[in-house]
Amino acid sequence: MRSRARCRGFSLAELLTVLGIIGVLVTLSVPALRGVSEGTGMMQALTRIGGTLDLARNYAVANNTHTWVAFTENAQSGGESMVRVAAFASRTGASLSRDDETDAAGSIEIPSPEADIISPVETIRQARVGGNIPQDNALATGDTMPRVSDPTEFPLESRGLQFRVKDMVFNRSIHFMPSGEASLGVGITEAIEMVVAPEKVAGVSSEKDNRQAAVIRVSGLTGQALVYQPR
């Protein structure tokens, strides 16, 4: 008669050893997972902003009209950092600016007989949008991006045509013309530089956030947007 094989389970010591190893692996993986999450957040922010810029530029050319990509101001303090962006278009095909030098036409309430919103309102969380490349960022050296003689920095405060959507005020805008050219309302420059940096708490930036900041450069002559990230 064949004898049955005796089944042996794990001892308590073996189980504790395995659990200890799992705990160490989980502890070691948390920083890596956090880095992946932060990197994904930045990619989403750059994709949403870049997509809105491309949409506005292409809409202006395809429909022979004027469009604007407008941002709310960065959150100043307290709570989560956040900024919103949306694209708007002239309904008549004419520029809505009353002053060609400043692109100033006050605020336009949406819905309006003058303009339409042509994109979803994108909410960019845990990020700030401005124009100054941090000094401790690799992109500040000038060796990682094509050289531009005099780039125009995207403003931190109100600039260009403003739009109001419900309780949101979009008061920083880039103007795209039917020819595809882009400006901040002070004539066509070689390029507009927009800095997108991670920022968890509004108004509080760290050295790590500054090092991870990326640049979206919009060509003044073509309106094309290119994204540059530090290596």
Side-chain angles (χ1 to χ4, degrees), residues 85-156:
V85 57
F88 304 85
S90 168
R91 298 186 66 180
T92 64
S95 173
L96 304 179
S97 307
R98 299 193 181 106
D99 185 335
D100 292 336
E101 292 299 318
T102 63
D103 201 20
S107 295
I108 295 178
E109 192 87 24
I110 301 296
S112 165
E114 296 180 288
D116 282 324
I117 184 169
I118 59 172
S119 77
V121 174
E122 297 283 5
T123 300
I124 313 299
R125 299 186 182 279
Q126 297 191 353
R128 68 179 185 275
V129 176
N132 295 314
I133 304 175
Q135 291 300 315
D136 50 353
N137 186 284
L139 299 176
T141 63
D143 299 329
T144 53
M145 296 187 296
R147 293 187 179 276
V148 174
S149 58
D150 188 22
T152 301
E153 295 179 349
F154 190 72
L156 286 170

Side-chain angles (χ1 to χ4, degrees), residues 109-110 164-169:
E109 192 87 24
I110 301 296
R164 293 179 178 269
V165 181
K166 297 181 179 179
D167 60 342
M168 297 175 287
V169 180

Side-chain angles (χ1 to χ4, degrees), residues 15 28 111 173 227:
L15 287 172
L28 292 175
S173 62
V227 177

